[in-house]
Each structure stands twice: as C-alpha cells, then as structure tokens.
Amino acid sequence: MHFPIALSDAVWPLLVTLVFILAGLVKGVVGLGLPTVAMALLALLMTPAQAAALLIVPSLATNVWQIRPWPALWPLLRRLAPMQIGVCIGTLAGAWALGAPAGAWATACLGAALVGYAVWGLTGARLTVRAASEPWLGPLIGAATGLVTAATGVFVIPAVPYLQALGLQRDALIQAMGISFTVSTVALAASLYFNAQYSSASLGASVMLLLPALAGMAAGQHLRHRLSPVLFRKVFLASLIVLGLHMVLKEMLAP
C-alpha cells in the first residue's frame, strides 16, 4: 500500500496497530465506535479508501460477534431487512457514482460525517419512528447510509439515529446496530473491490489488524467497570468533533 505521509517503514505498522487498539478500546467501553475511530485516525495518515480497506476484517469480525444471540437474530433481521437492502443499494450506487473515497472531497466529507455523528450523540436528541413508517422509511435511511458509507467509509449516519428511534430495548438495539454495521462492512468491501481498492495486500493487513482490535476490545470491556461509560462517551464524541473539524478545515484552507 502507498501512504501519503513520509514515515519510516517501521513506524507505519506501529501507528496503525495503535489506532486499532484504541478503536477496539472505545468499542469495548461504549459498545460501538470501532469503525468510526479507526477511520477518523487512519484518515490522518492515509486516504479514506486505504483506511476503509484496513477496516474491513476487524469491523466484520467484531460486528458479527455483536449480532448474537442467534435465536433473537431472525425476527430482528426480518424487521430491518428493507433498511439493509437500502444500505447495499446505496453503497454500491455511491461507489459507482463517486468512485473510491479519496482526495480532498472524501476527507472533508469524512470530517463532516464525524462532526454530524458526534453532535447528534452529544445533544442526546431522540426521534420516534412509528411502526407503520418503517417499510418506506427504512429503505430510505439505508440508502442514505450507503451513500455516506461509499463517500466516507463511515456507516453510522443516519443509521444509528434511525435505529435508536425504533424504540428497541437495549440488547435489541445493540444487536440491530451489529446487523447494520455487518451489512455495511460487507457492502463497503464490495464497493472497494469494484473500484480496485481492495487488494490481497490490503486483505492480509486487515486480517493482521484483527488481533489488536480484539485486544483493545478486551481491555475496554475490563475498563468499563472502572470508568464512567457516559463520561467516556462524551469525551469520545468531543474528540470526534475536533478530528472532524480538523479534516474539514484542513481541506477548505488548503492552497
């Protein structure tokens, strides 16, 4: 893989490994955030397309784990199927129309997505979606999420606010986010492959980064009982705002 920042070959693996440890730590403490943190930090070092390629295996593995328990999966999957179809269509259509997320526009879009997600989380705003609206609103939200995924590699907006608006119990909400993130990860991998941005070297590196991500998650789950998850989440979201604004302003002010 080609990296835009000139650092020694020995430094790159260390930096990327530390990013996935930190991303796993955040997911272990607050229950989500591994793809978001990984994309936010890796995009400071490489293009969003390169960052997304490294993300695929750790994101897929941790989110498949999150969709348990299996007996409760199928009813929820049937309910969310229209949304997930929209995710796939939106991601692939976005990949066809926009190409792989790279360049100034992709970095700025990623920064804007991070800020939007963090502001939503900090405000604590909650919407309510009626059951009668799900058949038509779910596919629209899924398609919008897919377009954001194709443009930025981040798949939390507007998927997470929508899932929170469904009135699911805590365990069902965590499982629903696992379903959505898993489908988005597979769709993202397909879009990168179609745009010739997912090579065997990227896959191999992504597989190797699974262990640091799992180690970070284990550490985060251990720390969850010693830290305030609410305070940690606020610090995490505030950090995303800083990172996102940095990305946007850097590209806006670039000569």
Side-chain angles (χ1 to χ4, degrees):
M1 298 179 69
H2 171 71
F3 300 108
I5 297 180
L7 295 174
S8 70
D9 291 341
V11 173
W12 277 111
L14 177 61
L15 285 178
V16 174
T17 298
L18 289 176
V19 165
F20 276 90
I21 291 174
L22 178 60
L25 181 74
V26 171
K27 185 175 179 67
V29 174
V30 301
L32 63 130
L34 187 150
T36 309
V37 172
M39 283 297 301
L41 295 178
L42 289 176
L44 299 176
L45 306 172
M46 60 189 74
T47 69
Q50 290 173 323
L54 294 180
L55 172 68
I56 296 300
V57 173
S59 176
L60 185 61
T62 54
N63 286 312
V64 167
W65 182 265
Q66 187 174 327
I67 65 177
R68 300 172 308 142
W70 307 120
L73 173 63
W74 300 114
L76 189 57
L77 186 58
R78 286 196 298 269
R79 180 178 178 180
L80 298 178
M83 176 190 175
Q84 304 315 310
I85 293 172
V87 166
C88 294
I89 294 173
T91 304
L92 295 177
W96 174 77
L98 301 173
W105 71 267
T107 302
C109 288
L110 173 57
L114 294 175
V115 171
Y117 169 63
V119 169
W120 172 271
L122 287 173
T123 59
R126 291 292 183 271
L127 301 175
T128 301
V129 174
R130 295 179 300 172
S133 301
E134 290 184 44
W136 64 266
L137 184 58
L140 292 179
I141 294 295
T145 300
L147 289 174
V148 173
T149 299
T152 68
V154 170
F155 33 78
V156 293
I157 293 292
V160 171
Y162 172 77
L163 293 173
Q164 291 174 336
L166 296 182
L168 300 170
Q169 296 297 319
R170 181 179 180 276
D171 289 346
L173 176 59
I174 291 175
Q175 190 173 38
M177 288 192 292
I179 292 171
S180 184
F181 296 164
T182 297
V183 172
S184 292
T185 301
V186 173
L188 176 60
S191 71
L192 291 171
Y193 178 79
F194 292 150
N195 280 311
Q197 293 292 323
Y198 201 47
S199 63
S200 57
S202 297
L203 176 59
S206 186
V207 170
M208 293 179 64
L209 289 167
L210 175 59
L211 185 57
L214 293 177
M217 277 187 63
Q221 290 170 346
H222 178 71
L223 289 174
R224 182 187 299 170
H225 305 292
R226 304 185 177 211
L227 300 174
S228 167
V230 175
L231 177 60
F232 187 92
R233 185 170 182 271
K234 288 181 178 179
V235 173
F236 156 59
L237 292 173
S239 300
L240 288 185
I241 291 178
V242 173
L243 282 171
L245 288 176
H246 168 74
M247 292 177 189
V248 173
L249 292 175
K250 178 182 176 182
E251 298 306 330
M252 290 179 59
L253 299 178

